[in-house]
Amino acid sequence: MVATLTRAVPARRSSLQTRRRSRAFYLFVSPWILGTILLTLFPLAYAFGVSLTNWDGVSPGFRWIGAKNYVDVLTDPETWASMGRSGLLALVVVPLTVAGSLGLAVLLNQKVRLRSFWRTMIYLPAIFPPVAAALSWKLLFDRDSGAINAIRAWFGQDAVNWMTGQQVFVVLLALMLWGIGGGMIINLAALQDVSPELLEAATLDGAGPWRRFTSVTLPTISPVLLFQTITATIGVLQTFVPALLLSPATGPAAITAVPEANRVFMIDVYAQYFAYSRYGYASAMLWLFFLAILLVTVLFFRFSRKTVFYAVDPSNGGGKR
C-alpha cells in the first residue's frame, strides 16, 4: 500500500507539470493562432465565397455563378499578360537580388578599409519607405528635370520619356533593386557561420578561393539563400505599390493609367476590384494567384533537396545528419 502511494505521487506531479506546460504552450501560441484565423483563414474563406458570385462590391444583392469567374480568369488573355509581366519581373529581379546581395556580402566580409561605412551606405536604401523611394526614382527619371536625362544630355544623347512605353519597366526594375542592401545584411550574418576550420582544411588541401567558396561557403549558407529566393520571389510576384506610384496620373485615376509595361498582376487585381467593381472576378484572380504561389514554393523546396545543405535534418525532428 505504501509502495503504491509512493509511485502515485511522482506520477501525479508529472501529470500536473505536463498540464501546466500544455497551458503555457497554448497561452503563448494563442495570439498567433487567433491572428491566423482572423487575418488569414477568414479572409481566404470570405474571398473564396465572393469569387463564386457576381458581386460588384456596392450592390446589396448578388447571384451565385459557381466557377464562372475562374473560367473567365483562365481564358482572359489580359490576365495571362499581367501574370507574364509579374513572372518576367521575378525572373529578372530575384536572381539579381540574391546574387547581387551575396556578392556585396562577400566583398564586405573581407578586411577592407571603411568596411562599416560601406556596409551602412549600402544598407541605407533598404530602410527608405517604399513610397519615398518610388517618388524619388520618379523624379530621377523625369523627362524634363530628371538627373538621368541630364547625364544623357552631357553625352549628347536625346532625352527619353522614361515614364511611358516599355521604358517605365526599366524604372520599375531599378526601383525593385533599390533595397538590395537588406539581402546583403542577411548574407553577411550567414557568412559568419561558415566554419573557419573547414576553410582552413580546404586551403591545406590545395583549394583556391573559388573552390573554397563553391565547396564550403555556398553549401553552408545554402539554406539562407533558399529562404531569400523564396521570399524574394513571393515579394516580387506581389509587386503593387511601386508599379502604382510610377503611374503618370494621381489619385483614383492612377490605377487605370498605369502604363501597360508595368501592369503587373496585382495592379490588374486592384483595377478589377476598385476601378471596374468586379469583386467576384478579382477574388477568383487572387485565389488562383495564391495557388500559383503555393505551387512555386513547393517546387522550390522539391528541387532544392539536393542543392541545399542543412546542418540538421528537418525531416528528422531537427536531428543531426
Side-chain angles (χ1 to χ4, degrees), residues 201-223:
T203 303
L204 292 174
D205 287 341
W210 178 249
R211 184 63 185 274
R212 292 197 299 274
F213 179 73
T214 56
S215 300
V216 178
T217 303
L218 273 183
T220 304
I221 67 172
S222 55

Side-chain angles (χ1 to χ4, degrees), residues 88-125:
L88 176 63
L89 192 65
L91 285 176
V92 176
V93 172
V94 173
L96 288 177
T97 300
V98 176
S101 61
L102 176 61
L104 288 171
V106 171
L107 286 176
L108 293 177
N109 198 41
Q110 310 300 317
K111 294 179 180 177
V112 296
R113 293 185 63 186
L114 302 175
R115 184 170 64 174
S116 298
F117 170 78
W118 292 118
R119 287 179 176 178
T120 305
M121 293 303 295
I122 294 175
Y123 178 66
L124 268 181

Side-chain angles (χ1 to χ4, degrees), residues 2 6 33 49 51 64 97 106 118 130 136 151 168 175 199 207 222 231 253 262-263 272 281-283:
V2 174
T6 304
I33 293 175
S51 72
W64 293 97
T97 300
V106 171
W118 292 118
S136 299
I151 295 173
V168 72
L175 182 57
L199 292 173
S222 55
T231 54
N262 278 2
R263 197 173 176 83
Q272 296 296 336
Y281 185 87
S283 299

Side-chain angles (χ1 to χ4, degrees), residues 229-305:
T229 303
I230 292 176
T231 54
T233 302
I234 295 173
V236 174
L237 288 176
Q238 295 179 345
T239 297
F240 171 67
V241 173
L244 180 63
L245 291 176
L246 293 178
S247 171
T250 58
I255 187 62
T256 53
V258 173
E260 185 178 355
N262 278 2
R263 197 173 176 83
V264 290
F265 191 80
M266 292 307 295
I267 291 289
D268 198 10
V269 170
Y270 191 86
Q272 296 296 336
Y273 266 120
F274 302 107
Y276 309 129
S277 297
R278 301 175 70 186
Y279 275 57
Y281 185 87
S283 299
M285 290 177 71
L286 283 181
W287 253 98
L288 291 174
F289 194 48
F290 166 71
L291 295 177
I293 289 179
L294 190 63
L295 176 63
V296 169
T297 305
V298 171
L299 291 177
F300 267 125
F301 277 108
R302 184 169 184 80
F303 290 109
S304 65
R305 287 178 180 174

Side-chain angles (χ1 to χ4, degrees), residues 11-57:
R12 194 177 301 117
R13 286 178 179 172
S14 176
S15 177
L16 284 173
Q17 288 179 351
T18 301
R19 284 201 293 270
R20 286 174 183 170
R21 289 173 182 170
S22 297
R23 281 198 296 269
F25 169 77
Y26 286 111
L27 182 64
F28 277 108
V29 301
S30 58
W32 182 84
I33 293 175
L34 287 174
T36 302
I37 293 173
L38 295 176
L39 303 177
T40 302
L41 297 181
F42 176 73
L44 276 174
Y46 183 78
F48 181 71
V50 172
S51 72
L52 302 176
T53 72
N54 65 343
W55 191 39
D56 60 7

